[in-house]
Amino acid sequence: MTLQRRHIFFGLFVAVLVLVADQATKSLVLSWSRQWVDPLHTVAPGLDFVALWNSGISYGLFPQGETGRWVLVAIKVAAALLFTVWLTRARGRLEAFSLGLLIGGAIGNAVDRVVYGAVFDFVSLHAFGYRWYVFNLADVAVVVGVGLLLYDAFLGRASKLPPSVPPMAAKSEAERERS
């Protein structure tokens, strides 16, 4: 099997793992949340679970109606397909891993919109009186995937490539005569 095919299969494997883990955690917390007395359930210092349905685009912004729901599903599916095409051209394992995270995260939240009409978010982090947005595992996968792609583009693969023209390269006498 070629290295390129290995990257594709690896990325798709990561996508499936993210999708399964995302849907499993959502199912578990959703069923568990029905037993909570309060809407907010403390899990650990700085970490609460809360059952929250996000019908908006991101962070609950711009809530969508029924038409918007299907537009968002279409956008997530299109994004997953475009990331899959990119995955077929992945040049490294980190790039394939990152794209797998993006594909799995996009599909995970798309499944929620299709099945429930909104995305189920449940993780709430807080410290020093500040609360961050409520999110889920698919959201984490997308953020980490984007971060790793940026790392790979600017600090990873790019920093390991030799420069295209050696700096201050001495020209031979024959090269100087041709100039």
Side-chain angles (χ1 to χ4, degrees):
M1 181 184 313
T2 67
L3 188 60
Q4 184 67 28
R5 291 187 90 162
R6 286 185 193 164
H7 292 323
I8 294 168
F9 285 119
F10 177 65
L12 292 175
F13 178 72
V14 169
V16 169
L17 282 179
V18 167
L19 176 61
V20 169
D22 174 63
Q23 291 299 302
T25 56
K26 288 174 180 173
S27 265
L28 287 170
V29 174
L30 186 58
S31 64
W32 181 34
S33 70
R34 293 183 183 119
Q35 302 168 10
W36 299 346
V37 176
D38 295 321
L40 196 68
H41 185 79
T42 301
V43 177
L47 172 64
D48 297 330
F49 281 177
V50 58
L52 180 74
W53 291 101
N54 179 0
S55 63
I57 292 175
S58 187
Y59 308 116
L61 299 173
F62 312 110
Q64 304 297 301
E66 193 62 22
T67 302
R69 165 190 176 188
W70 294 108
V71 168
L72 291 175
V73 167
I75 289 170
K76 288 184 184 298
V77 169
L81 290 173
L82 289 172
F83 291 137
T84 303
V85 169
W86 184 355
L87 177 62
T88 65
R89 298 180 175 120
R91 292 173 289 187
R93 195 167 172 90
L94 181 60
E95 185 178 11
F97 179 74
S98 304
L99 291 166
L101 291 174
L102 290 170
I103 294 164
I107 294 172
N109 281 339
V111 166
D112 280 17
R113 287 198 190 278
V114 169
V115 174
Y116 302 113
V119 175
F120 182 64
D121 292 327
F122 60 91
V123 179
S124 176
L125 298 176
H126 57 88
F128 310 111
Y130 295 100
R131 288 197 169 274
W132 286 269
Y133 295 105
V134 180
F135 57 93
N136 60 46
L137 191 60
D139 299 333
V140 172
V142 168
V143 169
V144 171
V146 168
L148 289 174
L149 282 175
L150 289 171
Y151 168 81
D152 192 40
F154 293 111
L155 301 172
R157 178 183 50 231
S159 68
K160 293 180 180 114
L161 295 176
S164 56
V165 177
M168 305 296 285
K171 292 183 178 180
S172 69
E173 192 168 321
E175 289 174 320
R176 283 187 291 233
E177 288 176 9
R178 283 183 270 182
S179 304

